[in-house]
């Protein structure tokens, strides 16, 4: 009997690790299936919430459109729209149309905005790059001359006549006025 008991013990011992790995595999497979089910549930809930928001927005839009339709049944609204959109006037009234409303209100119209945008020329990238290379290739002398001119203008340096470069025209005009006034006083 000892040999039989040894065989049973060896069989039980070898079957234990296999059964453990099979059980772990089944638990892992079940947890993966459970996780994918919860993931699908979460995605479906998110989609359902998005559809509910979209439904609420469409209901609000429908109500707004129904209100717009109901407004056209009111004669006062129709009259106001005819006066505003078409420029209709009642008999005895005089219509005044402002040709340049931006001069009065300070706002530009859509047409003026479109023409401003169309006047701006946009160069292709390769022409912009060529222009940038030309600017970078300019000699340092040209750049330094332009800097000196801008610096002397901003600091108000004087030229040979004693008038400042910045406001020379104004000083010359005031000197002429002074000479003219003194000539008037002598007479």
């Amino acid at each position: 009997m000892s040999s039989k008991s040894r065989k049973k013990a060896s069989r039980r011992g070898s079957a234990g690790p296999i059964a453990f790995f099979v059980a772990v595999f089944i638990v892992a497979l079940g947890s993966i299936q459970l996780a994918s089910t919860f993931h699908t549930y979460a995605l479906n809930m998110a989609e359902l919430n998005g559809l509910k928001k979209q439904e609420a927005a469409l209901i609000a839009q429908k109500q707004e459109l129904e209100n717009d339709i109901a407004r056209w049944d009111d004669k006062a609204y129709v009259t106001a729209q005819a006066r505003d959109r078409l420029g209709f006037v009642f008999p005895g009234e005089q219509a005044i149309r402002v040709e340049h409303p931006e001069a009065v209100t300070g706002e530009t119209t859509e047409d003026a905005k479109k023409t401003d945008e169309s006047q701006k020329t946009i160069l292709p990238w390769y022409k912009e790059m060529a222009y940038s290379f030309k600017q970078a290739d300019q000699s340092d002398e040209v750049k330094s001359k332009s800097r000196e001119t801008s610096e002397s203008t901003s600091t108000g340096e004087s030229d040979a006549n004693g008038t400042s470069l910045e406001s020379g025209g104004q000083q010359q005009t005031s000197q002429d006025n002074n000479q003219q006034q003194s000539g008037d006083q002598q007479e």
Side-chain angles (χ1 to χ4, degrees):
M1 287 223 198
S2 64
S3 65
K4 287 184 179 181
S5 61
R6 286 182 193 166
K7 288 181 181 178
K8 287 183 181 179
S10 65
R11 287 184 187 168
R12 288 182 191 161
S14 64
I18 294 173
F20 175 74
F21 286 119
V22 169
V24 168
F25 178 73
I26 290 173
V27 169
L29 190 62
S31 64
I32 291 172
Q33 185 67 29
L34 188 62
S36 75
T37 302
F38 283 127
H39 179 70
T40 304
Y41 175 75
L43 289 177
N44 287 341
M45 289 302 293
E47 184 179 358
L48 180 64
N49 289 337
L51 290 173
K52 284 182 179 180
K53 288 179 183 178
Q54 186 178 8
E55 179 187 22
L58 289 173
I59 289 172
Q61 184 182 8
K62 177 186 172 197
Q63 185 64 34
E64 184 180 329
L65 291 172
E66 286 176 350
N67 288 342
D68 287 344
I69 291 171
R71 278 191 217 136
W72 284 99
D73 292 335
D74 186 18
K75 288 185 180 185
Y77 181 76
V78 172
T79 303
Q81 292 298 312
R83 292 171 71 95
D84 186 44
R85 292 183 182 184
L86 303 175
F88 286 180
V89 294
F90 286 116
E93 290 182 341
Q94 185 176 10
I96 298 174
R97 183 176 305 265
V98 179
E99 289 189 19
H100 300 289
E102 66 273 359
V104 177
T105 62
E107 298 176 1
T108 59
T109 60
E110 292 178 20
D111 295 334
K113 289 178 185 176
K114 289 178 184 176
T115 56
D116 289 342
E117 291 173 2
S118 65
Q119 289 176 354
K120 294 179 183 176
T121 56
I122 299 174
L123 298 175
W125 67 270
Y126 52 88
K127 287 188 178 181
E128 286 183 11
M129 188 171 64
Y131 177 75
S132 297
F133 285 148
K134 286 179 185 176
Q135 292 295 322
D137 288 339
Q138 280 184 346
S139 66
D140 291 334
E141 294 173 6
V142 174
K143 290 181 183 178
S144 64
K145 285 182 183 177
S146 64
R147 285 186 198 138
E148 288 174 3
T149 305
S150 64
E151 288 174 0
S152 65
T153 304
S154 64
T155 58
E157 294 176 357
S158 299
D159 64 358
N161 294 333
T163 58
S164 71
L165 296 174
E166 186 174 49
S167 59
Q170 293 173 352
Q171 288 181 355
Q172 187 68 24
T173 306
S174 64
Q175 289 174 356
D176 292 343
N177 288 340
N178 290 339
Q179 289 175 356
Q180 188 178 24
Q181 288 176 354
S182 64
D184 290 339
Q185 290 174 357
Q186 289 174 358
E187 292 175 358

